[in-house]
Amino acid sequence: QLPAVLLMPGFTPVMAVATNKVGSIAGTTASAITYHRRLRPDMRIAAPLAGVAFLGALGGALLASHLPTSVFTPVIMVALAGVLVFVLVRPDFGSDEGGSPLAPGRVLARVLPFGLLVGVYDGTVGPGTGSFLVIGIAALTHVAFLHATAITKIVNAATNLGALVFFVPLGVVHWRVGILLAVANTAGGYLGARTAVRFGSRFVRIVLIVVVVALLARLGWQECTALAPAASADPR
């Protein structure tokens, strides 16, 4: 969604990130509510994780106001490629509950630093945040992809809120575009969550792979088109 918003005439990178968050928070909130009603994710984990991710996103939004989003593209691509390889070489990962259940205190010790880091990233740029969260939560808490996704939506709603708390007072949100995105994201988030609950963790795994591949292709194309003018201008 963010690359599409970046193509809007007159949008600066910060304006695109901020406006995108209006749509994203609507979609993740609709998904979070739908998942919560059907799966009842463990709020002892989800709530503290969402709290630290909110703070991280607030700091990330501050960072975004000073740095061009283009500097993060190579980092995003490397991280997404790592996620893709990890999922492909472990076909059973995330298909069911992995290993013995961990005590909530031990789980929090694992996931809170991760949540803070992802929150900073999401507040700064955001593409791939959901993928990173699903993989990280599934790996660190030993839950299946479906339940990891339920927690992810709560955390992702918090990161979007954290970014908006910073962006809205700056006046960089384009509200007409943001509200249109919010309406579409709400419908998509609701339908997507219901579909995932119906078809289970293996379906989530397939969608995760498709989304990561598509995002890598989009970012790769973006980098190539950005480098082409520079190469043609080089007198050598």
Side-chain angles (χ1 to χ4, degrees):
Q1 182 170 277
L2 180 60
V5 180
L6 282 165
L7 295 175
M8 294 290 294
F11 272 45
T12 64
V14 171
M15 184 184 294
V17 171
T19 303
N20 183 61
K21 295 299 180 188
V22 177
S24 295
I25 194 171
T28 51
T29 299
S31 296
I33 292 170
T34 305
Y35 276 116
H36 190 270
R37 287 175 176 172
R38 286 163 174 78
L39 298 181
R40 299 295 179 185
D42 191 343
M43 295 304 295
R44 295 174 300 175
I45 296 170
L49 183 56
V52 297
F54 170 88
L55 294 176
L58 197 58
L62 176 61
L63 185 62
S65 67
H66 293 90
L67 293 176
T69 56
S70 59
V71 303
F72 295 95
T73 301
V75 177
I76 298 168
M77 292 183 68
V78 170
L80 286 171
V83 166
L84 181 61
V85 170
F86 182 83
V87 174
L88 290 176
V89 300
R90 299 184 62 182
D92 294 328
F93 174 75
S95 60
D96 52 22
E97 307 297 317
S100 302
L102 299 175
R106 186 178 176 189
V107 170
L108 288 177
R110 290 181 168 201
V111 300
L112 290 185
F114 169 74
L116 182 64
L117 181 63
V118 174
V120 171
Y121 168 76
D122 192 35
T124 308
V125 273
T129 297
S131 301
F132 297 143
L133 282 170
V134 170
I135 290 292
I137 291 170
L140 295 172
T141 66
H142 296 176
V143 299
F145 276 151
L146 187 61
H147 285 84
T149 304
I151 296 174
T152 288
K153 296 305 178 183
I154 297 171
V155 177
N156 213 172
T159 61
N160 289 324
L161 178 61
L164 284 173
V165 166
F166 179 82
F167 285 132
V168 170
L170 289 182
V172 293
V173 175
H174 191 296
W175 286 105
R176 289 185 179 180
V177 174
I179 290 170
L180 286 173
L181 290 174
V183 172
N185 275 215
T186 299
Y190 172 74
L191 293 173
R194 291 200 60 154
T195 302
V197 170
R198 178 179 178 184
F199 292 105
S201 290
R202 291 192 180 277
F203 173 78
V204 174
R205 181 179 187 273
I206 293 170
V207 172
L208 178 65
I209 291 172
V210 170
V211 168
V212 171
V213 169
L215 188 53
L216 275 170
R218 176 64 183 85
L219 292 172
W221 176 258
Q222 179 180 306
E223 281 293 282
C224 289
T225 54
L227 292 173
S232 62
D234 191 339
R236 294 175 297 176

